[in-house]
Amino acid sequence: MSQTPARRGRPATVDPAHVAATALRLFTERGFGNVTMDDVASACGVGRRTLFRLFPSKAAMVWGGSGEARDAITEVLGASSPTSLAEALDVVRTAFVASSTFPDDALEVTRQRLRLIGSDDELLAWGTSRIGTSAALVESYLARAEGGPQPSLRARSLAAACSAANFAALVWWAEAAAERDPAQVVDDALAHLLDGARTWAAQG
């Protein structure tokens, strides 16, 4: 009696968000450096090749949520045409607050990502070197507001300061103030920073 060959269906769909969440849990429990890609693949029940097709490295799993934040900043800055540097700084503040506004169901994953990034210099360097930072976007925006052909020292310094304050505020939220709204934490941090920056911005 001949057997009918089993029909090969479509391969099961692998959810990148589930894989990343599983990886973050392992990194948090064991330490980022103590978990291999094979460990993640095994925990997720996927093959090594499938895992590398989704994420080229462990760091990419941690930084997976950065694209949405960058897109939010780009959208807010792109929708504004400030007539002064002081006005532009208000828009920058709004952009960072928008990029730090997360759905409720993403807060825990975001917190885990930030804790890992804030505690590992190599992981931090990976993201800033490959994905780029918000400072470059803000610098270009402030340069347009100034109307000069090149970013001034003031524009470059303020962009770097705002970007650093945003990141520091988010890591602080993840580590010490999880009960607070991350967007409000960022807004508070930038308010303190920009209060001093306005004097500089007002100088022609």
Side-chain angles (χ1 to χ4, degrees), residues 51-131:
L51 181 62
F52 274 98
R53 186 165 61 246
L54 293 173
F55 299 100
S57 68
K58 294 190 301 177
M61 299 177 191
V62 180
W63 279 91
S66 60
E68 291 86 347
R70 187 180 178 89
D71 289 346
I73 293 172
T74 300
E75 181 178 356
V76 173
L77 298 185
S80 172
S81 299
T83 58
S84 68
L85 187 59
E87 181 184 339
L89 289 174
D90 287 334
V91 177
V92 168
R93 178 178 170 184
T94 299
F96 278 119
V97 170
S99 74
S100 305
T101 302
F102 310 110
D104 289 343
D105 59 0
L107 286 175
E108 182 57 33
V109 169
T110 302
R111 185 179 299 117
Q112 289 179 330
R113 292 184 193 278
L114 287 164
R115 283 177 175 170
L116 287 166
I117 293 170
S119 64
D120 191 295
D121 290 341
E122 183 178 352
L123 187 54
L124 175 60
W126 187 95
T128 54
S129 64
R130 287 164 176 78
I131 299 174

